[in-house]
Every structure is written in C-alpha cells, then in structure tokens.
C-alpha cells in the first residue's frame, strides 16, 4: 500500500528556521524524549524487580564459609521495581540511533539490516540453553551447525578450512598472525617484520605488535592502490607476511593483488587478508583465489550479526592447506554420521592453541548461518552487486558537491573529503553532526588516515533507492548551508537529546563510574 | 529477496546515474581472471518457513530439556524474559560503537552503568566497557601487569580454569614472559607454601580463581598480601559472577585486578559464547588498561552526557603502540547483564547468591548420601568436585537419560591420580531440590 496520508519527509527550509518545525531529509523532527538518571541515582525505594524460588532449608552461610570471605548486601546497588527498570532502559533506548531507526552508512562497518528471524533462531532453547561442555551425543545440533558454517565460510572466501573461535575481527587477526608465526617458526625462522599499507585499519599494526612483529608501513599510490614495486622494494626473507584489506579501506579494489602475492610468496612470505570488506566480493570473487593464504571474516559486518552497541563480534579465520596444521582448537569434524569437537592438542600437535574459552561466539554462528541459508548462492551474489551499486550511486550523486580524493573506481564504499568546504570553515565533523539533525547516522569520519577529513560512506545492500536519495538530498543541503550559514552547521546537532559533548573534558578528568556518596557531574 | 529492496527499474536508473552498463560492469576493477565463473557451492536459498523448520530440526538435536548440572566456566541460570525483551529493542541491538555520542547516549549510559556495576561487585575503582570473554580478560590483565611492573614472570594457580590458562599461554607466546603454575592442595585451594615459594622479585602477577575452577573459595586476602609484599599485581578470576553476591569483594580484600565473565547475569550459556568479559582495576592503572572506557562529561549546554574516553590507549589512535588490539567489546551481552543486575538490585543479588549457595549445599548433601564424597575439603559456593568412581561412565550413563551430569576433572588434570574419579558438578536456582535428589540417586544407580 503506497503512502495513504500523502505525507513524506522533506526539509522545511534551513536549520535557522524554527527548529521546532523543521524536518530533516531523513525525516528527523522533534519528539518527546525523556531525561533518565543513572540506575544508582534513583531514590532508594526498596522495591524488587525479580522473582526467585526460596532457598529452603535452615542454614547460615556465615556458619559454613569463612566469615572474613563473606559480604552482606552491596551498598549502592539500586532497589527498583520491574516497571522502573523497564522504563529506564526504554528511555535509554530512545536516545540511540540504530539501523532500525534510520540510515547508518558507517564506512568499514557494513551496517546492514539485522534480520529478526536470526534473533528468533539464536534464542531457540536448543541453542541458547546448550552448555559448551555437553557430551557429544547431547549437542549434535550445535556441532552440525558449526560444521555447516565452517564449510560455507570456507567456500564463500575460497579457502581450505576455517576456525570459528576468534571472538572478533581483531582477535581473528591475532590468530592469523600467530599461525603465520608458527608456520615460519616450523621452518626455522619466525622472521621479524610484517608489511602493512598506510590505509590499514588500526587493528592490523596493533595485532602485529602483539605478536612481536615490527610493522613496516607501505605507501599507497595516488590512485589509492598498493603498487607492486613498493612491495618488491620492502620484501625480503625477514618479512613474515603482508597484511592487505581487499577491497581496501578506501573502498578500492587492490588490482595488483595477484602480482603482490607472487612477490611475497617468492621470498617465502605469506599474505594475510583482512576480510572486513568481504561484502563487496560475495559471489563475485574470492580472496582465496587472489593469492591470500589466510583471512579473517567479520560476521558482524558481512553476515549481519547485530553490532549490539559495540559488540560482540565474531571473527572466524580461513586458511589454505599449508596453514591448516596451525589452526587453533577446537575444530569440528564429521566421523560418519556424527560430529565431534577436536579439543585434544595431541590430535593437532602444531595447533597454535586457544585464544578464548570454549568454542567461539556460537550465538553469532546461528545468525550468520541463517543469513547464508536464506540467501543461497544467488542471494549472496546479489548482496555484493547491490552493495556496490548503492555506493556507486551515492558517489555519482555527490561528486559535484563534495571532493572525491580518488578518481579510481569504488566498490562498496566511497570516501569523500571536506576539501570543497574549506573556504567556508565547515569541516567533516560539522557535516557529520548536521547529518544527525537530518535523521541519518553520520558516515565514518577521519578514517582512513591517508585521506584528510575523510567521510567514508558505506550504504550496504539493504538500503533502498529512496533512502539514498534522501541522504543525497541531505548532504547537498549541507554543502549549500555551508556557504549560506556555516554557524548554523557548527551548532549541530540540535535535535538529539544531547548536543556536542566535550570529549576533551572527559579525558582530562575521567569520571568512569558512579559510587555511593559521589555525584556524577561530568 | 526481502532484504534487497531494489526493483529492476530502480537498478536500471541507478546504473545509469552511476555510469555503469550493467551490474557486472561495476566490478570492472576486479581483473577478469580473479572473478568467480560459477555460483558459490552453498545450499540453495530457503524461504523463512523452511529456514525456521530447518534450524528447529538442528536445535532439536541438542538435549536441553533439563538444566545441565555443569558449570566449569559457563553457568546455567534463569534469565528473566524482561531482559531479552528490552535487549531486543532495535535501538540497542542494531546500533554500533558510539562513535557519534549525541545519537548513542542510550548505549553510553548503559555502558557507564555496566562499568559501575562491575566496580560495585568487585570492590575496585575502575572497570572497562567489557571484554571478549573471561579468558582473554585474564590474559590482558597479565600483560598489563608486565607493563606496570616491568617484570616478566606470571604466577598462576593450577586451580584457575584450564581453558583460561591455555589462552594465557597463547597470548604470551611471543612476549618472552614466563608462566609458573602453582599446584593445589587437598582442600582444593592453591597450595600456600608453593605459592609463597613461587612469588619472587621477578613476579609481575599472581593469578587465582574466586571461586576457583573446582568451585572452591580461595583466601584472597592472604594471597593479595603475599603478592603486594613482592611488588606483584594480584589478579582474581571469576567465572561464576553470582558468587559476588555472597563472597567478599576482591578489591576489599586487597586484590589489584579482578577479571572474568559476567555471563551468569542476563546471558544464557549459548554453547560457550558470546558473553561479557569484565576487567576491573585500581584507578592508578587506568591508562594501562585495555578495552574501551565510557566516561561522563557535559554537552555545550552543560547537560550531563557520556562519551568513550581515554581512547589514546586504543588501536584506532595508537595503532602498533596501543595497549591492546581490541576493537569491539561485548556490548550487547554486557547490556543484558546490566539489565538483569538492575532487576535483581541490592536484595536480589544477595538473594540469588544465597539461593545458589543453598542449591550447592543440597547437591553436596544429596551426593554424600549417594556415596559420592567431596574430592576437596575446602569451602565451595554452588559447584564442587565429587568422587564418583568412573566419572566418564557416569556422564555417559546419564547422557542416555538426557541429563548432563558434570565434567570429569581428569580431562584437564589427567596427570593427577587424585582426580581419577572426580566429577565437577554445579547446581543453581534452575535445579529444584527434587531434581537434585533425583540427580544424586541417578548417579548412584549408574555407578
């Protein structure tokens, strides 16, 4: 049914017009928002928000446990009723912008729609209530699911096998580098350096450092790509690996990847792939076919597991044959009709070991597999096609209003700068804050570092043309407003429950908790 | 396809605007020889009805009708429906890291509340916005201790969760730090004499569980004092967070750092993940702490608000000089714990702990009557090791009846002959007294 009331969001004049009535390009307007104190700041009410069975029996822990190791009720914990708590968190939620609220084009994060069916499936008691140490015969369902996911991920990215354990992308990188180190160690020399392009995500060099590797930064070219001669000059027998994101963090495909891989392999090095941008390649190309030896997935990006306000993620790592012996434990194997977890290091003596307790973020495996099973091969390929189409559409519509630092083709994300706005004094940060008043979550800002004032837009495939058109309208309006009314822009955002927050003050005098007797004033 | 909103008409319009001849043309920057020439070999697409049926079939193969009598790092607890229903508010679970704090105040205030809960439960001064899990939290604490003390020897009790110790070893593989494991005694606690002998002037950290892996309560005060005397950082590890409602806070006993998981609050066992790791320390250590931190501030109108802060420790600023490589946290599971703790509140946290202690007590008595004595003499909370004879056989027998009996300790402590017949079992508020009685009788019959 199309629009029965005839209403559609459109902007009503500039920001300096009555803010009470203006409607942003994304539909943002005024509404009722509630102030809500900290749980601990509510007056102590001695209410109860829980219902538990009675302990039963006549005993006193103080008579049975060493009394110096016991405590009574904890001072400072709130004493609210269930309705108080429900209202508290309901109010808090209304202060957030989520994907469910509106467009969320955070570049490099792949903020695609999180399917509701995945949430229902992850909560099936058979999954949620399964203890990780259940006897094998009591958890065949969980093991089958992990096996299916492992097979699907390995095929999607073009590798031999995948470990599901790493808790997040960064932990996946750590795992990948540990395997690379173990591989070289087994050949007598762990080597000392890892090559990392200047466009790399900060976790790349941080993960190297955690593995005792020195980072050698490589400069990308004017086209935004890494060039073979730069790699050739840096590559020698003391370099363990190169870490490459493809497409890279500027959204550009590293077309020289095959040649780069050859250069690195020729001197005995390995090629690590940061798979954060896999969304651009699904069903179209596979990192395993490009020369990568090992790659981490980010299930919370490509496979739509919820970002949850910052996590949890899940970072499975796929490897080629040569690295299989070093995979962390456990692995799920199939013995005839039954599935089994391999946890005994004696079965896999070269394994790098464990980076986390138990087997991985199983709750995320359910969601990721649900997406893969619903899409099938066509749906996966369509995802990449539409993700890239959306980014290119936005690029074409905005390239006249914003400076495009690279003429090179974009895949699933496009980076602009604030260069064109320089004469007005308006910055990338101001653009971001003004987008909020329009009703959009801002794109990623000031990353990657190689681009000054970067504005990185990744629409993802789940956004419609009309959403993109509204976003473009908002961005164009901001570019116009920058010339007409830069002060109005710098006053943004004005509509959310808080205006710009003083981050300097937060770092100078950190207040990181509430405690009894103290006030949290910020 | 319901998540792909484009009509073919729109696709054509958009291709034209983007100057591309076809969808394939959009990928011209990928060399031909690198492109897939066949469809991916994954199972064919499923409609939602079939999808739910298929996953229902898989889930049904897990025997979860009875609450498992297993803890060992993942504790089966009651999660009130209110927790999940609040968690499912799209503004919470579909938001990301609060990089734009003005539109993330919900996430940020909830994180501040989580941090506060963690400090109140642990008795320490600062807590971060959650870690991947308990094991990596412990490993990061050990690394922090080496940075602070500039020493390289980590002393850890053998009664600390074996998985956590394996993870510690993995994290320290390329740092050159030494890990020294101290044995446990007949009481199931860390051997005090062995511990005193192991802690020396080169010790960066002393790590013990509370309760430890055997469910036994350790004398944290004495251990913290021993560490302090040697100039080492004491670290307590808690996997069963419900115990914080009954046991004295580590910080109050002089412990410097408390880590572990808060999975017991608000999170089901989920076959081992995800769950919120926690990390709490003294204020003086804050700039060496890994992970995100949420702090209070004001906006330009002077209204209190919250932001991520002290980010110069982290990877997106410091890159290879960061305190860790961490990017995501475990925000959603930390929110679940925060909501549950809010519902429990002051009385509920204490009551839930006492209830768990009661169930643990009932389990010990019932097993005793069934001829299975305690493996260790030390005081326990809701988990204990019992001598059952052939532990693997008992587990297998009960599995046939759909009951998850516990875990044989010999799986991790195979070198210790005392562990040969030991079964680690746990009882929580999910196990009724009747279920506990039946369990003990069934164990007796299966021997």
């Amino acid at each position: 049914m199309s629009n029965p009331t005839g209403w559609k969001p459109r902007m009503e004049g500039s920001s300096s017009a009555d803010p009470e009535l203006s409607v942003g390009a994304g539909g943002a307007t005024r509404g009722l928002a509630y102030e809500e104190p900290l749980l601990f700041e509510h007056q102590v009410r001695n209410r109860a928000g829980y219902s538990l069975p009675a302990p039963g029996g006549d005993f006193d822990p103080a008579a049975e446990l060493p009394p110096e190791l016991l405590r009574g009720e904890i001072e400072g914990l709130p004493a609210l009723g269930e309705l108080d708590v429900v209202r508290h968190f309901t109010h808090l939620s209304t202060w957030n912008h989520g994907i469910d609220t509106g467009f969320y084009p955070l570049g490099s994060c792949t903020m695609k729609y999180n399917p509701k069916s995945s949430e229902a499936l992850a909560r099936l008691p058979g999954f949620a209530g399964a203890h990780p140490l259940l006897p094998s015969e009591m958890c065949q369902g969980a093991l089958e699911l992990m096996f299916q996911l492992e097979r699907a991920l390995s095929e999607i990215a073009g590798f031999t096998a995948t470990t599901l354990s790493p808790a997040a992308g960064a932990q996946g990188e750590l795992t990948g580098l540990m395997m690379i180190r173990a591989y070289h160690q087994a050949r007598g020399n762990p080597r000392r350096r890892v090559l990392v392009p200047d466009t790399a995500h900060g976790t790349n060099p941080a993960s190297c450092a955690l593995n005792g590797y020195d980072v050698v930064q490589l400069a990308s070219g004017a086209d935004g790509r890494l060039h073979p001669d730069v790699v050739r000059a840096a590559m020698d027998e003391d370099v363990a690996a190169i870490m490459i994101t493809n497409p890279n963090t500027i959204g550009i495909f590293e077309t020289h990847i095959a040649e780069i891989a050859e250069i690195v392999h020729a001197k005995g090095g390995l090629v690590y792939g940061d798979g954060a941008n896999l969304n651009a390649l699904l069903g179209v190309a596979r990192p395993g076919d490009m020369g990568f030896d090992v790659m981490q997935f980010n299930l919370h990006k490509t496979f739509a597991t919820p970002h949850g306000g910052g996590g949890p993620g899940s970072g499975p790592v796929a490897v080629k044959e040569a690295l299989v012996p070093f995979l962390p434990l456990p692995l799920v194997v199939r013995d005839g009709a039954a599935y089994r977890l391999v946890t005994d290091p004696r079965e896999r003596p070269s394994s790098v070991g464990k980076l986390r307790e138990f087997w991985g973020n199983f709750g995320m495996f359910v969601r990721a597999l649900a997406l893969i099973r619903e899409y099938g091969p066509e749906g996966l390929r369509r995802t990449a096609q539409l993700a890239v189409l959306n980014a290119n559409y936005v690029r074409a519509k905005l390239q006249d209003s914003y400076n495009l630092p690279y003429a090179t083709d974009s895949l699933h994300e496009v980076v602009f700068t604030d260069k064109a706005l320089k004469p007005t004094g308006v910055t990338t940060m101001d653009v971001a804050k003004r987008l909020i008043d329009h009703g959009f979550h801002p794109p990623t800002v000031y990353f990657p570092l190689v681009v000054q004032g970067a504005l990185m837009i990744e629409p993802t495939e789940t956004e419609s043309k009309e959403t993109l058109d509204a976003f473009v309208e908002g961005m164009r309006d901001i570019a116009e407003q920058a010339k007409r009314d830069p002060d109005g822009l710098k006053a943004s955002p004005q509509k959310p429950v808080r205006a710009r927050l003083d981050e300097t003050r937060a770092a100078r005098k950190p207040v990181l908790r509430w405690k009894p007797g103290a006030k949290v004033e910020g | 396809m319901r998540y792909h909103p484009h009509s073919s008409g729109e696709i054509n319009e958009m291709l034209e605007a983007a100057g591309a001849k076809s969808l394939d043309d959009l990928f011209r920057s990928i060399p031909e020889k690198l492109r897939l020439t066949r469809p991916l070999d994954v199972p064919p697409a499923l409609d939602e009805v079939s999808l739910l049926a298929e996953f229902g079939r898989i889930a049904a193969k897990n025997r979860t009708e009875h609450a498992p009598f297993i803890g060992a790092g993942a504790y089966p607890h009651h999660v009130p429906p209110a927790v999940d229903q609040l968690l499912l508010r799209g503004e919470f679970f579909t938001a990301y890291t609060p990089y734009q704090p003005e539109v993330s105040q919900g996430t940020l205030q909830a994180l501040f509340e989580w941090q506060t809960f963690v400090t109140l439960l642990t008795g320490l001064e600062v807590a971060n916005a959650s870690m991947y899990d308990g094991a990596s939290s412990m490993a990061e604490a050990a690394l922090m201790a080496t940075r602070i003390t500039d020493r390289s020897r980590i002393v850890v009790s053998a009664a600390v969760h074996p998985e956590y110790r394996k993870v510690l070893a993995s994290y320290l593989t390329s740092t050159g730090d030494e890990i020294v494991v101290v044995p446990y005694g007949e009481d199931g606690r860390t051997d005090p004499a062995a511990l005193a002998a192991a802690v020396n002037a080169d010790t960066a950290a002393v790590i013990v569980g509370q309760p430890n892996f055997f469910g036994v309560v350790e004398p944290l005060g004495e251990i913290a004092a021993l560490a302090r005397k040697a100039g080492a950082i004491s670290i307590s590890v808690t996997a069963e967070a419900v115990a914080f409602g009954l046991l004295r806070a580590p910080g109050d006993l002089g412990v410097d750092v408390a880590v572990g998981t808060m999975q017991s609050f608000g999170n089901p066992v989920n076959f081992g993940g995800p769950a919120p790791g926690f990390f709490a320390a003294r204020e003086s250590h804050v700039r060496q702490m890994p992970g995100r931190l949420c702090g209070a501030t004001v906006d330009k109108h002077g209204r209190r608000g919250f932001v991520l802060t002290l980010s110069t420790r982290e990877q997106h600023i410091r890159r290879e000089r960061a305190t860790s490589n961490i990017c995501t946290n475990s925000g959603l599971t930390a929110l679940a714990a925060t909501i549950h703790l809010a519902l429990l509140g002051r009385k509920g946290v204490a009551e839930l702990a006492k209830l768990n202690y009661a169930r643990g007590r009932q389990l010990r008595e019932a097993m005793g009557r069934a001829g299975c004595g305690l493996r260790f003499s030390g005081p326990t909370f809701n988990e204990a090791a019992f001598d059952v004879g052939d532990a693997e056989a008992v587990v297998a027998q009960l599995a046939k009846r759909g009951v998850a009996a516990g875990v044989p300790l010999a799986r991790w402590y195979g070198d210790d002959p005392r562990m040969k017949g030991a079964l680690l079992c746990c009882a929580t508020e999910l196990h009724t007294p009747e279920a506990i009685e039946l369990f003990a009788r069934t164990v007796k019959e299966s021997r």
Side-chain angles (χ1 to χ4, degrees), chain A residues 112-124:
Chain A
K112 60 174 78 182
Y113 174 66
N114 304 124
K116 306 294 184 191
S117 48
S118 295
E119 293 308 306
L121 292 175
R123 286 167 167 79
L124 288 174

Side-chain angles (χ1 to χ4, degrees), chain A residues 61-85:
Chain A
E64 301 173 7
L65 291 168
E68 71 275 11
L69 289 177
L70 296 181
R71 82 200 297 182
E73 287 182 6
I74 301 171
E75 196 204 343
L77 287 183
L80 300 167
E82 182 166 323
L83 181 54
D84 300 319
V85 173

Side-chain angles (χ1 to χ4, degrees), chain B residues 217-429:
Chain B
V217 177
E218 298 263 19
L220 278 190
E222 289 146 45
I223 295 170
L226 179 72
R228 176 159 306 107
K229 225 172 88 186
I233 304 268
S234 53
I235 301 171
S236 71
V237 182
T238 300
E240 172 47 298
V242 168
F244 282 124
L246 182 65
L247 299 180
R248 188 129 171 247
D252 289 349
L253 290 166
V255 171
D256 297 309
V257 181
V259 295
T261 174
M262 290 279 174
Q263 172 266 315
S264 289
F265 292 115
N267 291 280
V269 285
N270 268 328
F271 206 58
F278 70 88
F279 191 116
R282 304 221 169 267
E283 207 161 330
S284 51
H285 299 145
V286 73
R287 280 164 211 281
Q288 285 298 326
M289 276 174 67
R292 298 190 181 137
L293 286 167
C294 175
T297 185
V298 292
D299 75 353
K300 72 175 192 194
H301 301 300
R303 297 176 294 193
R304 181 186 72 189
F306 301 93
V307 291
L308 290 180
T309 191
L310 297 184
S311 314
T312 50
R313 298 159 303 120
E314 296 184 73
Q315 52 80 23
H316 56 289
I317 310 277
R318 290 289 281 266
R319 297 171 74 90
E320 64 263 28
R321 291 190 320 283
T323 53
S324 177
N325 74 335
I326 291 170
C327 189
T328 53
N329 63 355
S330 199
L332 195 59
T333 59
L335 177 61
T338 304
I339 296 171
H340 193 187
L341 284 164
L343 289 166
L344 286 168
R346 193 174 161 135
K347 283 199 150 30
V349 166
E351 204 174 299
L352 181 62
K354 187 169 179 197
L355 174 52
N356 271 261
Y357 177 76
R359 293 291 182 262
R361 195 175 182 272
Q362 276 152 5
L363 179 65
R364 293 194 296 277
E365 285 170 356
M367 290 290 270
R369 276 181 265 117
C372 303
L374 286 167
R375 169 86 298 277
F376 298 115
S377 56
T380 56
F381 177 60
N382 64 358
E383 186 169 32
F386 299 96
D387 283 325
V388 300
D390 187 343
E392 294 286 354
V394 167
V395 168
Q397 281 294 325
L398 266 71
K400 287 202 184 95
R401 305 199 200 189
V403 177
V407 267
L409 282 171
R411 282 194 199 161
W412 295 280
Y413 299 90
D415 293 338
D416 182 352
R418 296 174 293 177
M419 298 293 219
K420 199 156 166 289
L423 186 69
L424 185 68
C425 307
C426 172
T428 72
E429 74 281 5

Side-chain angles (χ1 to χ4, degrees), chain B residues 9-366:
Chain B
E10 284 168 339
I11 291 176
N12 289 333
E13 270 186 72
M14 294 170 77
L15 281 170
E16 198 182 321
K21 295 189 283 301
S22 64
L23 286 171
D24 268 346
D25 193 31
L26 291 169
F27 293 93
R28 63 189 180 197
S29 60
I30 304 182
E32 283 274 1
K33 64 175 164 66
L34 297 182
R35 289 200 231 160
L36 264 176
T37 50
R38 60 166 177 85
L40 286 171
D41 184 15
V42 294
L46 290 174
D47 62 85
E48 188 177 55
V49 177
S50 312
L51 182 71
L52 264 45
E54 167 69 355
F55 276 65
R57 174 192 73 75
I58 298 174
K61 289 186 178 182
N62 292 334
R63 303 292 304 274
T64 56
E65 316 88 80
H66 308 291
F69 284 86
I70 317 175
Y75 296 86
H77 284 292
H78 169 68
V79 179
V83 172
D84 218 31
Q85 290 181 29
L86 287 167
L87 211 65
L88 278 169
R89 288 186 69 89
E91 302 94 323
F92 276 138
F93 87 90
T94 71
Y96 195 27
T97 306
Y99 293 126
Q100 299 291 345
E102 302 87 348
V103 284
S104 316
Q105 288 299 293
T107 295
L108 285 161
Q109 179 162 324
L111 280 178
F112 192 86
E113 291 172 347
W114 151 268
Q115 288 174 185
T116 301
F117 272 124
V118 174
T119 60
L120 291 173
L121 291 172
T122 60
L124 285 164
E125 293 156 354
V126 59
N128 71 17
S130 77
M131 305 282 282
Y132 301 142
D133 64 0
S136 63
S137 204
M138 184 178 108
E140 294 272 7
L143 289 173
M144 183 177 86
T146 62
R147 287 195 296 273
I148 291 171
T149 60
D150 204 20
R151 299 175 181 182
S152 56
R153 183 179 160 97
I154 309 288
V155 172
V156 59
S157 167
V160 162
H161 199 308
E163 297 263 298
Y164 285 41
R165 286 186 284 115
K166 282 185 204 167
V167 169
L168 176 67
S170 297
Y171 266 73
L172 266 49
T173 305
S174 47
T175 60
D177 298 313
E178 186 196 359
I179 300 174
V180 173
V181 181
V182 173
Y184 45 86
E186 278 303 318
D187 58 356
R189 299 166 130 182
T190 309
D191 184 317
L195 186 64
V199 176
N200 61 20
D202 197 34
T203 303
V206 178
I207 310 177
V208 294
Q210 184 68 315
N212 66 26
F213 185 62
F214 309 138
V216 170
V217 177
E218 298 263 19
L220 278 190
E222 289 146 45
I223 295 170
L226 179 72
R228 176 159 306 107
K229 225 172 88 186
I233 304 268
S234 53
I235 301 171
S236 71
V237 182
T238 300
E240 172 47 298
V242 168
F244 282 124
L246 182 65
L247 299 180
R248 188 129 171 247
D252 289 349
L253 290 166
V255 171
D256 297 309
V257 181
V259 295
T261 174
M262 290 279 174
Q263 172 266 315
S264 289
F265 292 115
N267 291 280
V269 285
N270 268 328
F271 206 58
F278 70 88
F279 191 116
R282 304 221 169 267
E283 207 161 330
S284 51
H285 299 145
V286 73
R287 280 164 211 281
Q288 285 298 326
M289 276 174 67
R292 298 190 181 137
L293 286 167
C294 175
T297 185
V298 292
D299 75 353
K300 72 175 192 194
H301 301 300
R303 297 176 294 193
R304 181 186 72 189
F306 301 93
V307 291
L308 290 180
T309 191
L310 297 184
S311 314
T312 50
R313 298 159 303 120
E314 296 184 73
Q315 52 80 23
H316 56 289
I317 310 277
R318 290 289 281 266
R319 297 171 74 90
E320 64 263 28
R321 291 190 320 283
T323 53
S324 177
N325 74 335
I326 291 170
C327 189
T328 53
N329 63 355
S330 199
L332 195 59
T333 59
L335 177 61
T338 304
I339 296 171
H340 193 187
L341 284 164
L343 289 166
L344 286 168
R346 193 174 161 135
K347 283 199 150 30
V349 166
E351 204 174 299
L352 181 62
K354 187 169 179 197
L355 174 52
N356 271 261
Y357 177 76
R359 293 291 182 262
R361 195 175 182 272
Q362 276 152 5
L363 179 65
R364 293 194 296 277
E365 285 170 356

